[in-house]
Amino acid sequence: MGKNKLKKFAEMEQLPNVYQFPFAAIHDQYCELRGCWGTKVFGNDNPIVVELGCGKGEYAVGLARRFPGKNYIGVDIKGARMWTGAKQAHTEGLSNVAFLRTNIELIDRFFAPGEVSEIWITFPDPQMRKVRKRLTSTRFMELYRLILKPNGLVHLKTDSPFLYTYTDAMVALNNLPVEVNTADLYHSGLADDILEIRTFYEQQWLDRGLTIKYLQFHLTPDSPLSEPDIEIEEDTYRSFSRGYIQCPQLLNDKE
């Protein structure tokens, strides 16, 4: 492990807005903060918004800046990436954003039923071969139900045609109420100050001609969920540069 990464891990241990729990310490029990994030971490009862797979925390920090009346928690297992957002939030004195380092599969160990108002899923791995690992699969939807308020909001922002098509089909099959659905966010007229927050990689994809897809839907509390049985063309960026996925003309420009 590089010295820079070791330095970040050491600093993460000292940052007051970072919460880290080893798997061995939490896999068979609930976290002490479960049900108490508002009182013990933020000191208020404002709505809690969770960003899953937060990476460098651009969304968690960006949303916290814009909406001081909500509390934001970025969740990821990659501590070296999370350090960027945690350090920035601490430096700026943002008291309404925190970071949780853990596996998403354990999310119900950290949040009580109804404790979370919204979930953001920003540019996750589409997991084209493994449905159970897909963060918008029904397996994860059932997990989110355990922590979301009834009819809580789920946001998906992705560059992946595969994941967007799959999630759109899953939402339609299960009659989940949709608020926003677009396959080309920045040419839809829907982008606002929330959706305009762009991660480092998102800006790179946009510069290469990729379109960004966005889905916002309510997760109803009781109805059974079914997996869509459809064939979906896989994303070509798993084999080629992401810039060529939706812009084959770029290939001709290179010739």
Side-chain angles (χ1 to χ4, degrees):
M1 187 180 293
K3 291 183 179 179
N4 189 44
K5 189 171 284 189
L6 287 172
K7 181 180 178 182
K8 288 180 179 179
F9 281 136
E11 191 166 358
M12 287 273 285
E13 295 288 344
Q14 304 302 317
L15 286 171
N17 59 354
V18 175
Y19 300 85
Q20 304 184 82
F21 298 87
F23 178 82
I26 207 72
H27 80 281
D28 61 350
Q29 58 185 312
Y30 292 123
C31 170
E32 61 186 15
L33 292 174
R34 186 176 187 262
C36 304
W37 285 89
T39 55
K40 291 186 177 180
V41 174
F42 299 109
N44 59 56
D45 60 357
N46 293 339
I48 292 175
V49 181
V50 171
E51 182 191 3
L52 299 176
C54 69
K56 294 182 178 181
E58 292 106 323
Y59 252 84
V61 172
L63 289 168
R65 289 193 192 111
R66 287 165 168 76
F67 301 99
K70 293 184 179 181
N71 301 319
Y72 295 89
I73 302 172
V75 179
D76 209 311
I77 195 61
K78 300 290 183 66
R81 294 179 186 175
M82 184 184 289
W83 172 88
T84 302
K87 178 73 172 179
Q88 187 173 23
H90 180 60
T91 300
E92 293 183 22
L94 293 173
S95 60
N96 64 324
V97 59
F99 291 86
L100 170 63
R101 187 182 177 202
T102 191
N103 296 91
I104 293 173
E105 290 86 348
L106 300 176
I107 199 71
D108 62 317
R109 311 293 174 87
F110 294 90
F111 298 98
E115 190 170 12
V116 176
S117 296
E118 300 177 40
I119 288 176
W120 278 86
I121 307 169
T122 49
F123 302 99
D125 186 328
Q127 295 289 349
M128 292 181 286
R129 305 295 175 87
K130 301 176 181 178
V131 176
R132 284 183 57 78
K133 289 190 174 183
R134 212 170 288 160
L135 292 186
T136 57
S137 69
T138 56
R139 173 202 175 198
F140 277 96
M141 290 297 140
E142 294 288 7
L143 193 59
Y144 305 154
R145 275 178 166 175
L146 298 177
I147 64 173
L148 272 174
K149 293 182 181 300
N151 298 306
L153 277 177
V154 177
H155 307 257
L156 170 69
K157 199 177 183 189
T158 180
D159 68 301
S160 167
F162 178 94
L163 185 63
Y164 169 74
T165 301
Y166 164 80
T167 308
D168 182 42
M170 186 279 296
V171 167
L173 177 63
N174 292 290
N175 298 310
L176 301 178
V178 176
E179 293 291 338
V180 182
N181 184 349
T182 176
D184 189 357
L185 176 63
Y186 295 112
H187 292 94
S188 67
L190 295 170
D192 55 21
D193 60 342
I194 301 175
L195 297 173
E196 283 286 353
I197 299 172
R198 300 181 185 181
T199 69
F200 172 77
Y201 291 108
E202 179 181 0
Q203 189 57 57
Q204 284 193 331
W205 299 331
L206 287 168
D207 291 343
R208 295 175 184 176
L210 281 166
T211 57
I212 303 302
K213 301 92 170 62
Y214 175 65
L215 266 169
Q216 180 191 127
F217 58 93
H218 295 274
L219 187 54
T220 51
D222 299 320
S223 58
L225 298 175
S226 300
E227 280 289 333
D229 183 15
I230 58 171
E231 292 291 330
I232 306 174
E233 183 178 355
E234 294 189 356
D235 295 337
T236 54
Y237 70 73
R238 291 296 160 183
S239 299
F240 303 100
S241 168
R242 289 191 174 194
Y244 301 144
I245 306 174
Q246 299 159 23
C247 295
Q249 70 273 16
L250 295 182
L251 283 171
N252 298 327
D253 293 341
K254 295 292 184 180
E255 295 176 352

